[in-house]
Amino acid sequence: MMRTRPLKVALLGCGVVGSEVARIMTTHADDLAARIGAPIELAGVAVRRPDKVRGGIDPALITTDATALVKRGDIDVVVEVIGGIEPARALITTAFEHGASVVSANKALLAQDGTTLYAAAEEHGRDLYFEAAVAGAIPLIRPLRESLAGDKINRVMGIVNGTTNFILDKMDSTGAGYQEALDEATALGYAEADPTADVEGFDAAAKAAILAGIAFHTRVRLDDVYREGMTEVTAADFASARQMGCTIKLLAICERAADGESVTARVHPAMIPLSHPLASVREAYNAVFVEAEAAGRLMFYGPGAGGSPTASAVLGDVVAVCRNRLNEATGPGESAYTQLPVSPMGDVVTRYHISLDVADKPGVLAQVATVFAEHGVSIDTVRQHGRQDGGGEASLVVVTHRAADAALSGTVEALRKLDTVRGVASIMRVEGE
């Protein structure tokens, strides 16, 4: 039997995502009501620019006083899509204090101070849902929090930023340079006017923090995530990757240590074999590869950004939270019982692809190999070829077996001191093997 009194929803922000949330709530009102068991009503929309025309939204619902909106007391669910740290954090905690549950897409806030939000939700017996904060429309947070709650997750590795994947895909498929691919991404609307958050890995790092915290039941903050951007990736790197049967992706990688006593979270470009499922993720799509002890390997794939895909994730959370309200229940909160430490990047063990510019003369390879041996880094393969333009220089490519990042860093520092090494052209990790 359907309840006739509607559940009231307050919307904070009415940009690309917020306007789509409002549209779907209106156009699919009957379906949403049937799925929830009660109608939902858009009770207010907080914006910064009230004079902007917003089609399909009653102007009487528009307000610039977001604080007053979340304090009303008759609001059942607050949807926060304004982003940033403040005033979003204050508005969310105020919403909990006044009896509302919260659905948020705010990856930056959740990564930086999710603990405060979880605590406020628990204190007031309300829900905090945030499916849209990671990977857009792809159902990922709920499977990790609920479907895999009885399993042990050992690794989460994925492409969680569509802008960077579009750029790298264009570099790989067309031979374009970084700037050329970025310009195309900007023209098509995939990249912001200032793409720093995407191309320097900040966006992906926030998502990695959220994923690691949920997957490993421990607290991982944004500051715990190692971050390396992809602006230095070149066409030559892709050529080297192709010689190895690989491509290059900007990956978010969250891992449980082999001994189970710590975790790591990192974002950086990496070569991955063409046989790996993530290698075939094209354009601006996202995909996340999960490795669990009992479930095995799972991959979640789909559009990772955009108004409609993100709004889909938001509305999925709204339906879940509204059902909980009707049943006087709450969904899962923070699970941080393991309290595992986050290891520094120096402890991470992986393979490496190192490209060196060296003097083209006998004995160079022996010198380089000696440096690797002295630092305990085992070499898998070596390729050396002279430069077509002559000049007495050659390119030397070394692919290592698995080694700790700290050991590799020491190796590279020592290589730079050799008279026969003219420069280190690139260093890239090799993942997914």
Side-chain angles (χ1 to χ4, degrees), residues 240 243-244 246 271 350-355 372 377-383 396-402 408 428-430 433:
S240 292
Q243 289 180 337
M244 291 179 59
C246 293
M271 294 182 180
T350 189
R351 296 179 69 203
Y352 291 86
H353 176 283
I354 305 103
S355 180
F372 275 87
V377 178
S378 177
I379 294 175
D380 182 18
T381 61
V382 176
R383 296 196 311 274
L396 182 65
V397 175
V398 178
V399 179
T400 74
H401 287 290
R402 291 174 62 83
L408 195 281
M428 192 164 296
R429 296 168 182 88
V430 182
E433 295 184 312

Side-chain angles (χ1 to χ4, degrees), residues 250-319:
L250 184 74
L251 298 178
I253 304 173
C254 311
E255 291 180 304
R256 189 190 299 270
D259 62 6
E261 297 301 315
S262 64
V263 299
T264 59
R266 50 196 165 104
V267 169
H268 54 72
M271 294 182 180
I272 58 172
L274 294 175
S275 58
H276 194 283
L278 291 177
S280 61
V281 178
R282 306 293 302 276
E283 300 285 329
Y285 277 77
N286 283 192
V288 177
F289 200 71
V290 177
E291 298 178 27
E293 197 166 89
R297 296 182 173 185
L298 310 170
M299 190 164 103
F300 301 83
Y301 169 85
S308 294
T310 305
S312 171
V314 169
L315 265 299
D317 280 352
V318 169
V319 169

Side-chain angles (χ1 to χ4, degrees), residues 41 47 63 119 162 176 180 221 319 370 405 431-432:
E41 172 189 315
V47 300
T63 178
E180 184 182 352
R221 290 170 51 89
V319 169
T370 298
D405 186 85
E431 301 286 348

Side-chain angles (χ1 to χ4, degrees), residues 335-414:
S335 177
Y337 72 93
T338 63
Q339 299 182 14
L340 295 173
V342 181
S343 296
M345 187 62 188
D347 292 346
V348 170
V349 176
T350 189
R351 296 179 69 203
Y352 291 86
H353 176 283
I354 305 103
S355 180
L356 304 172
D357 295 327
V358 300
D360 189 6
K361 61 182 183 180
V364 173
L365 179 56
Q367 287 183 326
V368 169
T370 298
V371 170
F372 275 87
E374 288 173 347
H375 289 81
V377 178
S378 177
I379 294 175
D380 182 18
T381 61
V382 176
R383 296 196 311 274
Q384 182 173 350
H385 55 86
R387 297 283 178 80
Q388 293 181 354
D389 58 0
E393 289 192 1
S395 293
L396 182 65
V397 175
V398 178
V399 179
T400 74
H401 287 290
R402 291 174 62 83
D405 186 85
L408 195 281
S409 295
T411 303
V412 172
E413 185 177 344

Side-chain angles (χ1 to χ4, degrees), residues 185-210:
T186 304
L188 292 172
Y190 292 126
E192 302 286 346
D194 179 0
T196 302
D198 295 322
V199 300
E200 293 295 352
F202 291 100
D203 175 84
K207 295 169 182 175
I210 295 169

